[in-house]
Every structure is written in C-alpha cells, then in structure tokens.
Amino acid sequence: MGKDSIKVIANNKKVRHDYFIEDTYEAGVALHGTEVKSVRMGKCSIKESFIRIENGEVIAYGLHISPYEKGNIFNRDPLRPKKLLLHKYEINKIAGKIAEKGYTLVPLRVYIKGSLIKVEIGLARGKKLYDKRQDIARKDQKREAEREFKLKL
C-alpha cells in the first residue's frame, strides 16, 4: 500500500439521501491500539453515528468499532465517544457554520490513508421531504434512460 493510497473501511450512503453536503473535512481519529487493529480488519460502522463540537473539541458519537478478537483486557467500549483531530481554525469555522440554522456535522466515510485512519466529515443541511422525492424521481429517470439506451444497442 502506497503513501497516498486510500482503503475505504465504512461508507455512510444514507447521509447523501437525507442531507445536502455543503463542505467536507478530513479528520484523524484518536484511537487505542486494539481499535486500530479492528478498523484495519474492516470492523467499523458509521450508520447511526453523529458528530458534536464540545469545549472546542470535535467528538464522534455512535462510531462503532467492534472489539478486537485477540484483544482481551485491552479492548475498549465499541461505542465510546471518539475524539476527531482537526486544526483549531477548522473547528472554529465549522462551529460558526453550525451556529447558523439547519447545519449539522455527519460522518461520511472511514478510511485508511497511508498508515493513518481518517474520517471524512461533512457539513450538512437537512433535506425536506420534497427534496428527497425530487432526488428519487431524478434517479428513476436516469435509470429508465440507461435501460432504453441498452435496449437500442
């Protein structure tokens, strides 16, 4: 694996359905030894997770990392809050946006970049029901057009 190679461990597909992603950030994760081994084995889920800024720190809740099988006493609670590592100016910028109405922070994916475990977080604005309907209709139209194109060939 090269220095800039990326291996995606967990992807949150539902987020793009429920939110408009305005901006994305790459954050490191403060993990303990057995958690790192577990993530490298692909035992990570971000389906029900969310992110908050508390006391100038970015913390991910619900980021589930399964206990490492050979970890015995060194294993940590799989759902413990995990600190995300960002620069202070990025945290201040995000906090300012979140203070605006309707913005939230959501994890988009967990991946390994080189030897580091990273989380891509998105500054998101919630979609209304009619926005979701428009997306579904657009997806159906695209699928139908591709199907017709295949039949013509």
Side-chain angles (χ1 to χ4, degrees), residues 115-129:
S115 63
L116 304 173
I117 295 169
K118 301 281 188 178
V119 176
E120 184 179 32
I121 59 176
L123 188 65
R125 194 168 34 91
K127 284 186 182 179
K128 304 280 188 260
L129 185 60

Side-chain angles (χ1 to χ4, degrees), residues 28-43:
V29 191
L31 296 175
H32 296 281
T34 56
E35 290 175 322
V36 173
K37 290 178 180 182
S38 190
V39 169
R40 288 191 188 283
M41 291 173 61
K43 308 275 173 124

Side-chain angles (χ1 to χ4, degrees), residues 51-53 56-60 82-84 86 91 105 121:
I51 299 171
R52 286 203 180 126
I53 297 179
E57 292 183 341
V58 184
I59 299 176
K82 290 155 187 76
K83 184 177 171 184
L84 299 182
L86 286 163
I91 295 172
L105 270 180
I121 59 176

Side-chain angles (χ1 to χ4, degrees), residues 102-115:
Y103 281 107
T104 186
L105 270 180
V106 290
L108 302 174
R109 62 185 180 146
V110 176
Y111 56 95
I112 298 174
K113 184 177 182 182
S115 63

Side-chain angles (χ1 to χ4, degrees), residues 66-102:
S66 299
Y68 183 59
E69 291 107 37
K70 301 178 182 90
N72 60 38
I73 62 166
F74 299 108
N75 281 335
R76 300 288 174 134
D77 177 27
L79 287 173
R80 74 175 180 85
K82 290 155 187 76
K83 184 177 171 184
L84 299 182
L85 309 171
L86 286 163
H87 291 285
K88 199 70 172 174
Y89 69 89
E90 288 178 317
I91 295 172
N92 292 337
K93 183 178 171 184
I94 293 169
K97 288 277 191 180
I98 289 177
E100 290 179 27
K101 192 171 182 235

Side-chain angles (χ1 to χ4, degrees), residues 3-21:
K3 191 170 178 79
D4 292 327
S5 66
I6 291 176
K7 179 185 173 193
V8 177
I9 303 297
N11 204 350
N12 199 346
K13 295 175 187 164
K14 191 157 173 51
V15 167
R16 300 207 186 267
H17 183 267
D18 292 339
Y19 299 97
F20 292 113
I21 306 298

